[in-house]
Amino acid sequence: MARGVASATATELATKNFNIVNLLEFQNIGGSNTYLTEAPADISYNSNTYLSTRGLLGVSDITEENEIKIESVDITLSAVATENVKLFLDYDYIDRRVLIHRTVVDDQYKIVGSPILVFDGRLDQPRLQEDFQNRTATLAVTATSHWADFEATEGRHTNDTEQQTLFPGD
């Protein structure tokens, strides 16, 4: 991996006793950006405050390949209060951009060095499971890389008129 790592980050990683957290930026949901982290404390970065989900945020493994292919990541928010789920249900967040940075933090959850962008993609495939008794929900979305539309056929529409033109009666 030929990524530039800040010297302070490299020094902290060499200690073999460090904390790594994710910083998630959901762009333009409900007219503004939403910033979240699974760290137990809020984290400030790039003039934004990433709000702590107190460990209730999950991000699946992110891998890099040497070939061009569609990468995806699953993002899960668990024990979300049902009124907060409304944010994702009321606004059209499909195809909204999500950025995931990984950063090393010290014991006071201050960033050491510079965060590294590990994923840049678009939101897709929402899933919601509510626990009505506890008034909480688990909200999960999949985000796919910008290569998701790479193999799309230009000029083809997914509407009934075009479907009937190609496959009458279908």
Side-chain angles (χ1 to χ4, degrees), residues 3 20-27 35-38 43 45-46 48 50 57 59 62 75 97-105 111 114-120:
R3 239 188 263 281
I20 294 180
V21 297
N22 292 300
L23 304 176
L24 281 79
E25 177 182 344
F26 297 95
Q27 292 189 346
Y35 304 93
L36 299 174
T37 181
E38 81 273 29
I43 295 178
Y45 167 64
N46 204 21
N48 298 308
Y50 289 77
L57 172 73
V59 178
I62 300 171
I75 302 166
R97 189 173 180 201
V98 61
L99 302 170
I100 302 175
H101 288 84
R102 290 234 169 102
T103 188
V104 175
V105 293
I111 293 176
S114 299
I116 298 169
L117 180 65
V118 294
F119 186 83
D120 183 348

Side-chain angles (χ1 to χ4, degrees), residues 4 11 17 30 54 104 111 145 160 162-163 165:
T11 302
N17 187 18
R54 307 288 190 263
V104 175
I111 293 176
S145 70
D160 187 56
E162 187 145 340
Q163 182 71 12
T165 301

Side-chain angles (χ1 to χ4, degrees), residues 82-99:
T82 53
E83 61 269 13
N84 293 337
V85 172
K86 194 172 176 358
L87 260 183
F88 276 87
L89 297 180
D90 283 356
Y91 297 103
D92 181 19
Y93 66 94
I94 300 297
D95 205 35
R96 300 292 184 189
R97 189 173 180 201
V98 61
L99 302 170

Side-chain angles (χ1 to χ4, degrees), residues 2-159:
R3 239 188 263 281
V5 177
S7 62
T9 302
T11 302
E12 187 72 14
L13 290 172
T15 66
K16 298 181 180 164
N17 187 18
F18 53 85
N19 300 307
I20 294 180
V21 297
N22 292 300
L23 304 176
L24 281 79
E25 177 182 344
F26 297 95
Q27 292 189 346
N28 198 21
I29 294 178
S32 63
N33 294 351
T34 301
Y35 304 93
L36 299 174
T37 181
E38 81 273 29
D42 294 348
I43 295 178
S44 294
Y45 167 64
N46 204 21
S47 301
N48 298 308
T49 301
Y50 289 77
L51 301 175
S52 172
T53 60
R54 307 288 190 263
L56 301 176
L57 172 73
V59 178
S60 67
D61 290 338
I62 300 171
T63 59
E64 289 187 350
E65 303 288 338
N66 289 333
E67 59 195 50
I68 296 174
K69 67 179 245 185
I70 300 169
E71 300 292 339
S72 66
V73 62
D74 290 319
I75 302 166
T76 306
L77 287 165
S78 61
V80 180
T82 53
E83 61 269 13
N84 293 337
V85 172
K86 194 172 176 358
L87 260 183
F88 276 87
L89 297 180
D90 283 356
Y91 297 103
D92 181 19
Y93 66 94
I94 300 297
D95 205 35
R96 300 292 184 189
R97 189 173 180 201
V98 61
L99 302 170
I100 302 175
H101 288 84
R102 290 234 169 102
T103 188
V104 175
V105 293
D106 62 18
D107 291 336
Q108 287 75 42
Y109 294 96
K110 301 293 183 215
I111 293 176
V112 176
S114 299
I116 298 169
L117 180 65
V118 294
F119 186 83
D120 183 348
R122 303 286 178 171
L123 294 175
D124 190 17
Q125 301 177 15
R127 296 174 305 283
L128 177 66
Q129 183 177 357
E130 288 193 271
D131 179 350
F132 292 105
Q133 241 178 352
N134 294 321
R135 301 186 52 80
T136 62
T138 299
L139 176 67
V141 293
T142 298
T144 54
S145 70
H146 65 281
W147 294 111
D149 291 333
F150 186 67
E151 295 177 351
T153 304
E154 291 294 319
R156 175 85 197 270
H157 301 99
T158 54
N159 58 37

